[in-house]
Amino acid sequence: MSKAYEQLTTYLERAQAFQTAMVLFEWDNETLAPKEAGPYTSRMIGAISGEYYRVITDKEFKRFIEACKKDKSLSETEAAIVREAGEELEKLDCIPAEEYREFAQLCSESTRVWAKARKEKDFDAFVPTLKKVLDYQKRFASYRAKEGQKLYNVMLDTYEKGFDMETLDKFFAVLKEQLVPFLKKLMDSGVSIDDSFLTGDYPEEKQEEIGKYLAEYVGFDFNKGVMAVSAHPFTTNLHNHDVRITTAYNNHVDDSIFSVIHESGHGIYEMGIPDELTQTLVGQGTSMGMHESQSRFFENIIGRSQAFWKPVYPKLQEVFPGQLGDVSLEQFVKGINKVTPSLIRTQADEMTYSLHVLIRYEIEKMLVEEDLDVEKLPEVWADKYEEYLGVRPKDVAEGVLQDIHWSQGSFGYFPSYALGSAFGAQLYTYMKKHMDFEGLLETGKAGIRVIREFLRENIHQYGKLKTSRQILKDVTGEDFNPQYYVDYLVEKYSNVYGI
Amino acid sequence: MSKAYEQLTTYLERAQAFQTAMVLFEWDNETLAPKEAGPYTSRMIGAISGEYYRVITDKEFKRFIEACKKDKSLSETEAAIVREAGEELEKLDCIPAEEYREFAQLCSESTRVWAKARKEKDFDAFVPTLKKVLDYQKRFASYRAKEGQKLYNVMLDTYEKGFDMETLDKFFAVLKEQLVPFLKKLMDSGVSIDDSFLTGDYPEEKQEEIGKYLAEYVGFDFNKGVMAVSAHPFTTNLHNHDVRITTAYNNHVDDSIFSVIHESGHGIYEMGIPDELTQTLVGQGTSMGMHESQSRFFENIIGRSQAFWKPVYPKLQEVFPGQLGDVSLEQFVKGINKVTPSLIRTQADEMTYSLHVLIRYEIEKMLVEEDLDVEKLPEVWADKYEEYLGVRPKDVAEGVLQDIHWSQGSFGYFPSYALGSAFGAQLYTYMKKHMDFEGLLETGKAGIRVIREFLRENIHQYGKLKTSRQILKDVTGEDFNPQYYVDYLVEKYSNVYGI
């Protein structure tokens, strides 16, 4: 190891410890911490994030990065770590310490303001805070923007390298032009699918039992992970030997089943990071989009297929004999694939999901690039829902205030959700040609293992050493192509609806 | 706020954030973290503890302390915080950074070595590590020792200010001279107490139900605290609004009941710290001994009394109708007060508990002051158990390897356990004279509230602003006096055994 790299490493290890501590605080806060701990926890996270900033913007750190960049003896991984470190430095170093602190403080408050406004269905109460958060994010983006770079492109780059507005405009245009009319066709088909059996008396402990069973079944390793309960399901990880998923229980059994399989997909990605990379700057999933591709791959492409349920549905019936004993495999699979245009993104079905994202993408562009007046958001939002999904929110809680993201300053994050689905479909189309995908699912755990190994081999093991775009190219032999996603959806749902 | 104090505060807040993060990592590791996370967690704790060391030993920090010490405008609390900061600095600054790191590393390994050795009943496997840990602690004590100060006194001072060997020799002499013969008398009395009903089929979820009920009943506030499961019960806290207790479940229902009440006592102490003090250097229980006094007060003086169970025993019978329905209140209270000289400290009854501690105190003195050969520990240990308790361990797992403390370098900690019991008895003797203690317990939650408020008012609210010795003097009007403890035990157990 070169001297400069070694010195850089000591800084990175300190930064990593702070990151890990913040992850743990956040996990704890969402899952277990007592009610009154909140404000104190925010202060702690604020303090630790200040320490992180302090390490990254240390003059010595900058000096070591410069030295490493000139060092030709670095391995490929080391060079990638230096590159990531440089990007992290660039991201933070251009923000004055004072503004960084103010923004961190603002964010922890603004999430509370948002939650209250949502609860009280009072958008006006959130407007001043949202304006401030947006202003900060625009300012930070302007600090980081390269000559002539659009601000929203700076934001997008944080979550998904190589996917700027030009690419995304094309992507979302494909969805809009083909999926919106297809959805209308489905809804006008007169076909009605029964999924009433998914709602009812599903005891929590039984849902937990089947949730853990399914997580393990798809490959979530409970020696390296845990599952807990939180208000909204999420995945987090301290490192590749400590990956954590959550779920929530209600009387819709499919909510917990598919959230568990979804989060397991995220978890399996992080468990697939090699020991050599974990807890380094390249030791995580490469992007939000690729992460979402894995979670949605497990949830939808694997988890909502008949082949998947064929060996495992009897187990589900065994746990819920009264509720599902009389429901056939075919009825069950149709039920879990019912399409219902709805108002809430996180409850959307596979077919309509990316239309929710399309709406957010269009609005974010307007907010950042066209200075849309924040006050007008509820109306713009409602109009777009009516146009694309045929439904109109009756209040802001089921409209513009449904997502936490903007309150946290996450502008540019949403597109990853739709990109992930599209990445997944492109990978699936390739995989189907080279393996008996459905046949593997029908053989149960052993078959899923083959699929999982393919994903590990081609995606997970690289961490951040490859971008999502590179991965797609290396695996499928071609650049990102959204048509696969549309074709996949149209084929699948034409079948489900028999049209 | 004075300028220097303000500057000191920014350092202290950083140190506090690191401390809190370490507490959370440790809590998480004991309660929830996946099996394979252990070594990574150790590394994180090591890194964060390095950051803590870095802040405390910063030259600026030292400068601000010096400035504050000269500042006459500080409030009493501020001055106390400066004093504590100075002590923390003294404690760490004398240890070379390199040795500090090595020792932290050693400790995290040594706990694993100890656990393995205990499991395999192989003391020799632990000897080299224990020697190293002991050497480090002696060396660190020598760095900190004042002119002529004995090393073991330096260690004792860390846990209990004002209780050096001179005081403790007298304390333990009283126990040895009076309790050892009294125990013999009890055992020779021929009285036999039935407690067989405490062991049996006690389902875990029912134990959890009654555990939470009792924690709340004695005053543990679940808005500011949580209860979880771990291998060994413990209490920890992030601040006064986030206090955490654990318990463990087996087929002895009294194990979980009394561990919950015990840990609730610790928790109530920390919940009683005022908001102004929490997350400062004086915002915790004043000492290990005073902490143990509160936990053992709740567990034994309150929790093993007939007056306590009078209103609440029907609830216990309701939860366990098959197991306790036919056991009368009197039988139950006798059962939970049965004396059985045994080998394991953590399972010891109230009567014999401090004799276990006496043995550890005598051995620690020999190790630190008389250079007792570590290899001889198992034999010395067994001989003392035979002499004081009349039982002899058949292996090291139930002998010298039973406690984790020495593997963590905690020499001088044990006496606090016995001191705590004695503090509690002295407080109880005073309280009984000034309030109808048993009458209050008989009125249930409202009565316990009065007792708890007394403790909060006189002990908890001061945090570290008073030492345990000062507290005893201020509350009871006299210095620490171990005779109250012996008298309490002799009176109580003479009654229980009718001798």
Side-chain angles (χ1 to χ4, degrees), chain B residues 80-126:
Chain B
I81 289 172
V82 172
R83 194 186 61 230
E84 289 285 333
E87 283 177 19
E88 198 60 16
L89 170 65
E90 251 178 62
K91 214 180 282 173
L92 294 188
D93 204 33
C94 63
I95 303 174
E98 191 56 28
E99 290 183 28
Y100 182 84
R101 246 198 315 277
E102 281 165 14
F103 181 67
Q105 181 70 21
L106 172 64
C107 272
S108 92
E109 286 163 21
S110 97
T111 305
R112 274 195 284 276
V113 176
W114 161 77
K116 190 162 177 279
R118 184 172 75 153
K119 203 172 153 207
E120 294 169 1
K121 302 178 182 180
D122 179 5
F123 185 69
D124 292 345
F126 184 48

Side-chain angles (χ1 to χ4, degrees), chain A residues 13-14 16-18 20-21 24-28 32-38 40-41 43-44 47-48 51 54-55 221-228 238-244 275 278-279, chain B residues 13-14 16-18 20-21 24-28 32-38 40-41 43-44 47-48 51 54-55 221-228 238-244 275 278-279:
Chain A
E13 277 172 359
R14 294 175 60 198
Q16 191 65 45
F18 297 139
T20 311
L24 186 60
F25 270 114
E26 275 156 11
W27 157 270
D28 183 77
L32 180 100
K35 237 194 301 190
E36 295 186 13
Y40 293 85
T41 306
R43 238 173 59 196
M44 285 305 104
I48 305 262
E51 296 297 325
R54 190 190 298 267
V55 172
D221 180 349
F222 280 97
N223 287 320
K224 301 177 181 167
V226 296
M227 177 170 137
L238 279 68
H239 44 72
N240 66 347
H241 286 262
D242 190 344
V243 180
R244 299 168 180 218
D275 286 348
T278 198
Q279 294 208 308
Chain B
E13 277 172 359
R14 293 174 60 198
Q16 190 65 45
F18 297 140
T20 311
L24 186 59
F25 270 114
E26 276 157 10
W27 157 269
D28 184 77
L32 180 99
K35 236 194 300 192
E36 294 186 13
Y40 293 85
T41 306
R43 236 174 59 196
M44 286 303 104
I48 306 263
E51 295 297 324
R54 190 191 297 268
V55 172
D221 180 350
F222 278 98
N223 287 319
K224 301 178 182 165
V226 296
M227 178 170 135
L238 279 68
H239 44 72
N240 66 347
H241 287 261
D242 191 342
V243 179
R244 301 169 177 216
D275 287 346
T278 197
Q279 293 207 310

